[in-house]
Amino acid sequence: MLPANVGYPALAVLVGGESLGLILPGETAILAAGVLARDGHLQIELVIPVAAVAAIVGDNIGYLLGRRGARQLLLLGRGPPREHRARLVREGERFFARYGGRSVFLARWVVVARVTAPWLAGASRMPIRPFFVWNALGGITWSASVALAGYALGAAASAIFASTTVILILVL
C-alpha cells in the first residue's frame, strides 16, 4: 500500500491532471483513496478536500487554456475547415450561455465531458465567475460522492478493481 505521504500527492496529481484534460485515472484514484481510507491507510477527511481542490484547480487551468489558446487555434486558418470550426465556436458560445453552469456541474460525472468541458467552456467564453462557482460545486460534490462510494464499498470495491484490471488486461 501507498504511505499517506505519497497517497495524497498522488491523488492530487491524478485528479488535477485528469481535470486539466490529461488521460489519467482521476476518478479511479478518488475511489481507490476512499477504499484506502476505509482500510485505515488514508483519512477520508483529507481525501475529499485534496481531490476537490485538485479537481477545481485542474478545471480552472483547463478553462484558462481553453479561453486563451484553444479558441485561437480553432479560429486559425482559412477556408471551409475554419468556417466549420468558427460555426462550432458560435454554437459552443450559445450552448454555454444557455446551459453553462449546469453542464460544467454535470460534466463531472461523465468521463469525456469531465476532461473537455473546462476547455470548451473557456473557448466558448463562458464568464469566469459562473464557471468558477459551478466548477467548484461540481468538484466538491463529485469528489465527495466518489470518495464516499469507495469508502462505503470498501473490500467490495477492491474486488471490483481487481476484476476490472484482469478483464482489461485480457481485452487489451
Side-chain angles (χ1 to χ4, degrees):
M1 287 293 156
L2 285 174
N5 63 343
V6 175
Y8 298 115
L11 176 64
V13 167
L14 291 171
V15 173
E18 181 191 54
S19 296
L20 179 60
L22 302 174
I23 301 171
L24 293 172
E27 187 172 51
T28 303
I30 298 173
L31 195 58
V35 172
L36 290 171
R38 172 71 177 236
D39 293 344
H41 300 287
L42 297 174
Q43 294 177 17
I44 196 70
E45 298 85 1
L46 292 176
V47 167
I48 294 170
V50 166
V53 168
I56 293 165
V57 169
D59 268 7
N60 283 331
I61 293 170
Y63 172 89
L64 292 172
L65 291 172
R67 189 164 185 117
R68 301 229 169 103
R71 184 180 184 87
Q72 287 77 9
L73 287 174
L74 288 169
L75 298 175
L76 201 63
R78 298 177 194 257
R82 185 200 182 279
E83 293 164 9
H84 175 71
R85 290 188 312 270
R87 189 181 88 249
L88 290 174
V89 168
R90 286 191 304 274
E91 289 173 7
E93 288 172 342
R94 283 194 297 274
F95 175 83
F96 280 100
R98 185 169 181 185
Y99 305 109
R102 288 177 282 187
S103 64
V104 168
F105 179 84
L106 294 173
R108 276 282 164 208
W109 285 269
V110 181
V111 176
V112 174
R114 179 170 48 249
V115 299
T116 58
W119 288 76
L120 296 173
S124 298
R125 296 209 170 134
M126 179 180 175
I128 186 111
R129 285 186 182 152
F131 175 83
F132 181 79
V133 168
W134 286 103
N135 174 46
L137 289 172
I140 293 165
T141 55
W142 172 71
S143 298
S145 65
V146 174
L148 291 172
Y151 189 84
L153 291 173
S158 296
I160 292 168
F161 285 142
S163 300
T164 305
T165 303
V166 169
I167 290 169
L168 286 174
I169 291 170
L170 292 174
V171 169
L172 298 175

